[in-house]
Amino acid sequence: MFAKTSITHSTSGTSSKYLDLSSVNQHVVKMEYAVRGALPIRAEKIQSQLRSDPSAFDFKKVVFCNIGNPQQLEQKPLTFLRQVSSLVEYPELLKEHNLNATKMLFAPDSIQRAVDTLSFVGGSVGAYSGSTGILKIRENVAKFIEKRDGFPSSADGIQLTNGASGAVERVLELLISDPSVGVMIPIPQYPLYTASLARFGARAVQYYLNEGSDWGMDVSDLYRIVEKARSEGTDVKALVVINPGNPTGGVLTKENMRDIVQFCEKEKIVLLADEVYQSNVYYPQEKPFISFKKVACELNSQVEMFSFHSISKGMIGECGRRGGYLEMYNIDEEVRAIMYKMASVSLCANVLGQIAIDIMVNPPKEGDASYEQYNSELDSIYNSLKSRSIRLAENFNKQENMSCNRAEGAMYLFPQIMLPPKFLEMCKQEGKSPDQEYSMRMLESTGVCVVPGSGFGQVPGTFHFRCTFLPKEEDFDGFISTFDKFHKGFMNEFRS
Amino acid sequence: MFAKTSITHSTSGTSSKYLDLSSVNQHVVKMEYAVRGALPIRAEKIQSQLRSDPSAFDFKKVVFCNIGNPQQLEQKPLTFLRQVSSLVEYPELLKEHNLNATKMLFAPDSIQRAVDTLSFVGGSVGAYSGSTGILKIRENVAKFIEKRDGFPSSADGIQLTNGASGAVERVLELLISDPSVGVMIPIPQYPLYTASLARFGARAVQYYLNEGSDWGMDVSDLYRIVEKARSEGTDVKALVVINPGNPTGGVLTKENMRDIVQFCEKEKIVLLADEVYQSNVYYPQEKPFISFKKVACELNSQVEMFSFHSISKGMIGECGRRGGYLEMYNIDEEVRAIMYKMASVSLCANVLGQIAIDIMVNPPKEGDASYEQYNSELDSIYNSLKSRSIRLAENFNKQENMSCNRAEGAMYLFPQIMLPPKFLEMCKQEGKSPDQEYSMRMLESTGVCVVPGSGFGQVPGTFHFRCTFLPKEEDFDGFISTFDKFHKGFMNEFRS
């Protein structure tokens, strides 16, 4: 069928190619991203082995607890969001001659919303939007923020992006002006931050979250850390806070947040507030979500801040759609113009992701046909997430040598394992990372894929893993008992 | 309604903020992107003025000819693509109890395709896909390339991206290892390239396309240019070719392409083949599209190459969906692993864009219910684009002091204007760029927004603008006569 070609691909480090590992950008060579690192790559191989030979392992399927990807684990999408998306994709459905059939399939407010959406989108979801996103949607985001916080927000300060990842990457690229720049990041942290700092060639200035106090922060530490970093020649320019925390699940107290804002203002440090889990808050009386924007406004603070939100998390969980936004607070006009230009080079965020943002910030209202269904879908996902988080944490806490904070927020537990000395000794001799080795053994014997704590950072000498609580409720018994069995076997194998 | 806040935003260069123009990344400060630069920003302002006061200008609406955004100018989307997208958005439509109503609205092969798509997507378009895209879609892309070229292609070598822009940016970031790196780019070029080179801190090594020979290339020039650049300390690492050309509309001859491949192989330069306009070829007998992959395979070349394609152009024109792909040819295995890691940090390209790629590379087949409609929609867009390109070029060529090559491909004309000496003198005295000033005057008096040639690069002392031929056929008379009037007035004003 094909003409012959003698192209071969080298499979070892002895490349005969002119573009090789040594000649490409070393920043991206060094970059690490554990959420999609060695464990999930092995997990995908196991999954495809199971497809061709279902008895190849002691388990029937791989359960991906390495990534907050709810719909991969069969979380149902929100009906209203999908109805509107479906209608705007194919506007013929809204034409007079089709409307009778369409009304049999779609709620009346979905139909009306699709008509309105198409009008402010300019007629087609297939056209590029403005560089920073559709104006009407940015206005709706601003209204949502105003309602949430009780302080003004403006469409001018909002950019719609390809997921919150796209927003974070844009801001870090803006800030990193040379290799002496440092960005303060929590440990443990979401590895997008360390990966992006490696990518743009900046320094990670670490501060630790306190596992013993629900992953809270000690702000007096921050002053000490920034002073030390600066004395070593690091131009500390920004501080990342992830609240609710990833991977920790912790929710910051308002007192903590005030201290952070004042620290940033005083030290002239830009605050990056990653608030993508703002709806995933499971003890709202004790530990509510409060935005950094609100805290800054209440303090009348001159802090300079970017904050981030997303449709991938919360109860929406529309990860594959890549929708996110950032808000700029007290950012210089000329810097905003640069942010606009950065957005324009990639043309725009995908329009269907923008439309999903619009639905998140402007859901059906009381009296609308979809109002009750929308809220009951949200509630049912919320309640189930909370109960799964509790069950999983209880189970981890029951295990020998494990302890786990409850998830106050987000989608993850980050249990600590006191690994047996015999196992640590073996890892040392074999040159293996202990938490990675533990996690790999868990994967090989249970099919459950988690991410080793080293992928997020942890206090040296402690070991953790991050595990989502997203598997389906009906799969939870199996999931928990299979983990039980693995961990008991592991502990017995390495008991001294 | 709101608590008071005293935050103010500086509006001048005298910022009181700690993050200001001098402290951000100077690479992004320097980056320029004319397609969304001063002209379109002014055009958007005029558009909103017209909304509040329809008689504010001598024209009723702004026509955006600055960007290849067909659906903004009311090009109809392809029915099959939109039906499948609509169905995968809301899989309830595919359930037994809805199927009767669904069949009244959707073609049977759209329904079947949606079912198949959901099964290989893993059930929901709301889940992250694998980092480089859904395997089945990458396999379909490989089959499309094999059929197009007659040479093997493999899913392993394909990455699905957020538009071709996302793919180009990833490859340039990979290649640019330090500030001495140079990338050869055509002049005129699509400004994504110069913007990205500024962004990643590399040198643009320019080579000129020959306006007098249908924007062809003189490959002997390339040897001279690379030798000179290297002697000046530039590490020339890659060569960009845009074929069919943007903004030129030129299509390269096979002879030209062979010479380019051999040049790159000989000089150990990575070839970046931007082939997003491969379906926009208007004289396929004389000047067919041939892929660089095919030329390289026929030559059995050891050239190392990345090539790019997109759903934003062609007859599909789904720009807002941000779907694209890249293919790696003869790229080192370890470098591919880095490309995989780069893809993984941003998680994945949006899934609906991936699905549109799948439809582009695997359209309805003969015998399918949608086959005839799909092809007649494609043909009608194609024929209309071709006839509009001819009319517009004829009109430009009729004007005093203008000359314009026909569009052999792509979506643009790039006419040259011999600007009157009196006008050039005035621009010089006022410190204005002549082609930008000409284009701005055109915008202010006609509402037609084009991009000045300086945004793409041009032979010094020559002046051009880029104009899409995308306005609707029925608007074309008005569009042409309004331009006529403007240009005559302009020439009379500046006649010596």
Side-chain angles (χ1 to χ4, degrees), chain B residues 42-343:
Chain B
R42 175 69 187 138
E44 274 170 31
K45 287 213 172 113
I46 293 176
Q47 192 180 40
S48 74
Q49 266 179 279
L50 281 171
R51 265 190 215 120
S52 48
D53 175 11
S55 64
F57 292 85
D58 288 345
F59 45 88
K60 293 278 160 274
K61 64 173 183 178
V62 176
V63 184
F64 287 93
C65 295
N66 58 302
I67 186 164
N69 192 8
Q71 295 191 23
Q72 182 191 35
L73 301 178
E74 300 179 41
Q75 180 177 302
K76 289 261 179 313
L78 299 176
T79 303
F80 180 74
L81 188 151
R82 292 305 195 92
Q83 285 197 348
V84 174
S85 302
S86 178
L87 290 162
V88 297
E89 280 282 9
Y90 188 45
E92 286 294 310
L93 299 173
L94 303 166
K95 295 255 172 82
E96 194 58 39
H97 62 283
N98 285 325
L99 217 45
N100 281 339
T102 300
K103 284 178 179 165
M104 293 167 66
L105 297 163
F106 296 89
D109 56 338
S110 300
I111 293 174
Q112 187 55 49
R113 180 64 170 264
V115 170
D116 297 345
T117 300
L118 284 170
S119 90
F120 65 65
V121 160
S124 173
V125 299
Y128 295 124
S129 72
S131 302
T132 57
I134 293 156
L135 176 61
K136 180 74 183 172
I137 298 180
R138 289 186 289 118
E139 287 170 354
N140 285 340
V141 170
K143 279 183 205 157
F144 161 82
I145 293 172
E146 289 183 349
K147 198 173 156 201
R148 183 192 68 191
D149 297 337
F151 290 94
S153 174
S154 150
D156 291 348
I158 311 288
Q159 296 199 339
L160 306 183
T161 55
N162 283 317
S165 301
V168 167
E169 290 169 333
R170 184 175 298 157
V171 172
L172 288 174
E173 184 169 4
L174 172 82
L175 293 175
I176 297 169
S177 48
D178 70 74
S180 72
V181 167
V183 174
M184 301 182 78
I185 55 165
I187 296 295
Q189 54 99 36
Y190 177 55
L192 169 64
Y193 293 99
T194 39
S196 300
L197 295 180
R199 176 181 170 198
F200 300 124
R203 302 178 190 170
V205 178
Q206 305 186 339
Y207 67 88
Y208 284 95
L209 301 177
N210 189 345
E211 188 166 6
S213 66
D214 293 327
W215 300 109
M217 283 169 73
D218 185 343
V219 181
S220 62
D221 265 5
L222 297 181
Y223 287 97
R224 192 183 46 73
I225 291 165
V226 76
E227 192 185 2
K228 178 156 180 285
R230 284 176 173 162
S231 75
E232 290 164 358
T234 298
D235 173 15
V236 180
K237 218 155 173 174
L239 170 78
V240 173
V241 182
I242 311 172
N243 182 47
N246 175 4
T248 62
V251 174
L252 294 177
T253 62
K254 195 167 187 180
E255 195 187 351
N256 241 195
M257 296 174 72
R258 278 205 195 105
D259 290 345
I260 293 166
V261 167
Q262 284 165 339
F263 164 78
C264 288
E265 187 178 354
K266 188 161 173 226
E267 298 292 337
K268 298 191 186 304
I269 284 173
V270 178
L271 179 55
L272 309 187
D274 179 338
E275 301 178 331
V276 299
Y277 295 99
Q278 60 189 265
S279 309
N280 299 90
V281 172
Y282 304 114
Y283 302 92
Q285 301 300 324
E286 280 167 73
K287 283 286 192 90
F289 169 74
I290 305 161
S291 77
F292 270 103
K293 166 86 181 285
K294 180 175 181 158
V295 171
C297 288
E298 283 179 354
L299 291 170
N300 203 359
S301 170
Q302 296 294 319
V303 70
E304 299 172 25
M305 173 165 61
F306 295 87
S307 57
F308 309 100
H309 195 14
S310 163
I311 54 169
S312 299
K313 310 302 170 188
M315 268 44 76
I316 295 179
E318 290 280 353
C319 305
R321 208 169 286 271
R322 315 307 298 118
Y325 74 76
L326 63 85
E327 185 186 22
M328 298 181 267
Y329 171 88
N330 196 30
I331 297 296
D332 178 64
E333 280 297 326
E334 290 179 322
V335 173
R336 285 173 185 237
I338 302 297
M339 284 288 289
Y340 180 92
K341 189 172 63 174
M342 293 175 83

Side-chain angles (χ1 to χ4, degrees), chain A residues 381-444:
Chain A
I381 295 169
Y382 174 84
N383 291 327
S384 171
L385 280 175
K386 179 170 175 174
S387 81
R388 282 178 277 166
S389 82
I390 293 172
R391 274 193 71 188
L392 191 59
E394 273 172 2
N395 181 63
F396 286 149
N397 279 317
K398 264 190 344 214
Q399 305 296 333
E400 187 181 357
N401 279 18
M402 279 184 80
S403 72
C404 183
N405 285 333
R406 68 175 181 180
E408 295 175 340
M411 293 179 170
Y412 316 99
L413 293 174
F414 196 62
Q416 183 173 162
I417 343 161
M418 279 63 74
L419 291 169
K422 199 168 143 188
F423 177 74
L424 293 177
E425 187 53 37
M426 184 205 77
C427 289
K428 198 174 166 188
Q429 281 174 12
E430 297 180 8
K432 285 175 173 164
S433 153
D435 55 353
Q436 169 136 350
E437 178 62 15
Y438 175 89
S439 302
M440 193 62 92
R441 283 165 180 246
M442 189 196 312
L443 172 63
E444 298 283 350

Side-chain angles (χ1 to χ4, degrees), chain B residues 6-67:
Chain B
S6 70
I7 296 306
T8 52
H9 297 294
S10 70
T11 50
S12 77
T14 60
S15 172
S16 59
K17 310 280 193 251
Y18 44 92
L19 188 70
D20 63 16
L21 211 51
S22 69
S23 60
V24 300
N25 180 351
Q26 296 303 300
H27 287 154
V28 296
V29 171
K30 277 176 206 136
M31 178 171 84
E32 282 181 21
Y33 188 67
V35 174
R36 294 201 147 181
L39 266 285
I41 288 169
R42 175 69 187 138
E44 274 170 31
K45 287 213 172 113
I46 293 176
Q47 192 180 40
S48 74
Q49 266 179 279
L50 281 171
R51 265 190 215 120
S52 48
D53 175 11
S55 64
F57 292 85
D58 288 345
F59 45 88
K60 293 278 160 274
K61 64 173 183 178
V62 176
V63 184
F64 287 93
C65 295
N66 58 302
I67 186 164

